[in-house]
């Protein structure tokens, strides 16, 4: 997003990018003085979480001894709920909101067609979202994971189409067991492959980010299935490995997802008045927010430079996405901010 007419001579000759020791490729913002038309603050993209939670019968197994007992306070289900409560209660802002779905939707193989209740703004200090999950505890149901994921993605697509805040939907899948006993395929691994394809299509065609969290407890077969699913979303699966630490490990996983999603995607502000969007005349300025100097990150559309940034759509950009290293840096800086510098030729990462 940049002016078609303004300035740029100082940058057009190609500014040198310091290479450093593996960190982000950055430029001194002062290098752009005299060629910029304007600098505008980029806003973090509003997020709409859909949290899909497994309530199959195996969620009734106690984490203390593996005995099936739906009424025990130490079941996988009971220990997962406080972590979800912490996630929903965390300060969010920026229009962030959430809804919940649970599967199966009955005591057999039903899959929910949409969330339980309306979407709520975060932080959910009244714990209403978790209350909706508590109202439908696990009993003897099976695990229709593929159908549940497909319906959650269908809801996410419809929600994205209806959004008017520039935001997007993020799907979080929390499950403990292999998809099974619901006629979805010949084996859990085959069903997991089907889910991988679903998530890949949602990521590529609909820009729906999905994170898979498995209460795996070190089960290699389960972790293999979850890794297959998550590969479609291009996000690493997160495993809860210790039965006695479900709440702690799940809380850590959910916090990491929240921080990454909030920190690493920004809406491109409109160009200066009277000028038009030129994606080749935009630069991204990163302010750590800790008093250290601001930096200008280099564009790396394929994120080969992990310290750079890319557009969501290079031909018609609406979002600036930070690459992996830049994202980790931004996540670690609670006061970090991103601004868009208009009017100067975009500095691309050197290959």
């Amino acid at each position: 997003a940049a002016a078609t007419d303004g300035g740029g001579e100082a940058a057009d000759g190609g500014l040198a990018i310091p290479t450093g020791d593996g960190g982000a490729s950055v430029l001194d913002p002062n290098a752009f003085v005299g060629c910029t038309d304007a600098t505008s603050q980029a806003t973090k993209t509003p997020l709409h979480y859909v949290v899909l939670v497994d309530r199959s019968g195996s969620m009734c197994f106690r984490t203390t001894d593996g005995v099936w007992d739906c009424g025990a306070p130490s079941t996988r289900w009971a220990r997962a709920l406080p972590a979800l409560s912490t996630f929903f209660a965390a300060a969010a802002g920026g229009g962030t909101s959430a809804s919940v779905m649970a599967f199966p939707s009955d005591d057999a193989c039903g899959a929910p067609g949409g969330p339980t209740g309306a979407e709520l703004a975060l932080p959910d200090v009244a714990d209403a979202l978790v209350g909706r999950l508590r109202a439908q505890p696990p009993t003897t149901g099976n695990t229709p994971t593929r159908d549940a994921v497909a319906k959650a993605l269908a809801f996410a697509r419809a929600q994205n189409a209806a959004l008017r805040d520039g935001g997007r939907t993020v799907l979080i899948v929390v499950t403990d067991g292999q998809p099974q006993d619901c006629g979805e395929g010949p084996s859990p691994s085959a069903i997991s492959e089907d889910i991988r394809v679903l998530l890949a299509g949602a990521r590529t065609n609909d820009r729906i980010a999905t994170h898979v969290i498995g209460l795996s407890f070190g089960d290699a077969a389960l972790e293999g299935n979850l890794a297959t699913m998550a590969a479609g979303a291009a996000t690493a699966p997160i495993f809860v490995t210790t039965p006695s630490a479900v709440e702690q490990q799940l809380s850590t996983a959910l916090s990491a997802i929240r921080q990454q999603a909030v920190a690493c995607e920004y809406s491109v502000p409109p160009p200066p008045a009277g000028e038009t969007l030129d994606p080749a005349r935009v630069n991204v300025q990163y302010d750590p927010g800790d008093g250290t100097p601001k930096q200008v990150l280099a564009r790396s559309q394929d994120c080969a430079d992990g310290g750079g940034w890319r557009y969501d759509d290079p031909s018609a950009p609406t979002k600036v996405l930070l690459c992996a290293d830049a994202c980790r840096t931004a996540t670690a800086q609670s006061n970090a901010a991103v601004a868009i510098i208009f009017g100067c030729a975009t500095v691309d990462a050197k290959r």
Side-chain angles (χ1 to χ4, degrees), residues 205-303:
N205 301 323
D206 305 291
R207 293 188 58 253
I208 298 172
T210 303
H211 298 270
V212 178
I213 302 176
L215 306 181
S216 57
F217 299 165
D219 185 313
L222 173 59
E223 292 184 356
N225 292 333
L226 293 167
T228 296
M229 298 178 199
T235 56
I238 304 172
F239 303 131
V240 175
T241 58
T242 307
S244 61
V246 172
E247 181 177 350
Q248 176 186 350
Q249 293 185 354
L250 181 55
S251 289
T252 300
L254 290 166
S255 178
I257 290 171
R258 178 179 59 82
Q259 290 177 350
Q260 177 177 333
V262 169
C264 301
E265 180 173 314
Y266 297 81
S267 295
V268 176
E275 299 178 355
T276 57
L277 185 69
D278 182 353
R281 302 183 72 78
V282 164
N283 285 283
V284 173
Q285 177 178 274
Y286 175 73
D287 181 357
D290 59 2
T292 56
K294 299 176 182 178
Q295 303 168 342
V296 174
L297 307 183
R299 182 177 61 182
S300 180
Q301 191 59 39
D302 60 1
C303 279

Side-chain angles (χ1 to χ4, degrees), residues 289-340:
D290 59 2
T292 56
K294 299 176 182 178
Q295 303 168 342
V296 174
L297 307 183
R299 182 177 61 182
S300 180
Q301 191 59 39
D302 60 1
C303 279
D305 177 355
W309 61 276
R310 65 182 180 87
Y311 286 125
D312 57 338
D313 180 349
S315 61
T318 62
K319 310 286 184 185
V320 162
L321 311 176
L322 302 185
C323 297
D325 292 343
C327 179
R328 280 190 287 270
T329 299
T331 299
Q333 302 283 353
S334 60
N335 296 320
V338 164
I340 303 298

Side-chain angles (χ1 to χ4, degrees), residues 77-215:
W77 172 265
R79 286 192 160 171
L81 293 182
L84 290 167
S85 179
T86 298
F87 173 69
F88 293 135
T96 304
S97 55
S99 56
V100 294
M101 303 173 67
F103 70 100
S105 56
D106 53 20
D107 290 338
C109 288
T116 302
E119 182 181 55
L120 296 179
L122 300 184
D124 172 21
V125 294
D127 214 13
L129 289 166
V130 169
R132 294 171 185 175
L133 293 173
R134 287 196 179 99
Q136 46 181 337
T139 53
T140 58
N142 294 320
T143 316
T145 312
R146 186 184 67 189
D147 197 15
V149 168
K151 290 183 177 178
L153 290 173
F155 170 79
R157 291 187 186 95
Q159 178 168 267
N160 276 349
L163 292 177
R164 296 295 178 266
D165 60 2
R168 66 179 177 91
T169 299
V170 176
L171 175 62
I172 300 175
V173 180
V174 182
T175 179
D176 77 304
Q178 302 179 69
Q180 59 185 5
D181 298 333
C182 286
E184 294 186 327
S187 67
S189 60
I191 301 169
S192 299
E193 172 61 21
D194 289 344
I195 294 170
R196 183 196 68 77
V197 174
L198 288 173
L199 295 182
R203 173 178 58 87
T204 302
N205 301 323
D206 305 291
R207 293 188 58 253
I208 298 172
T210 303
H211 298 270
V212 178
I213 302 176
L215 306 181

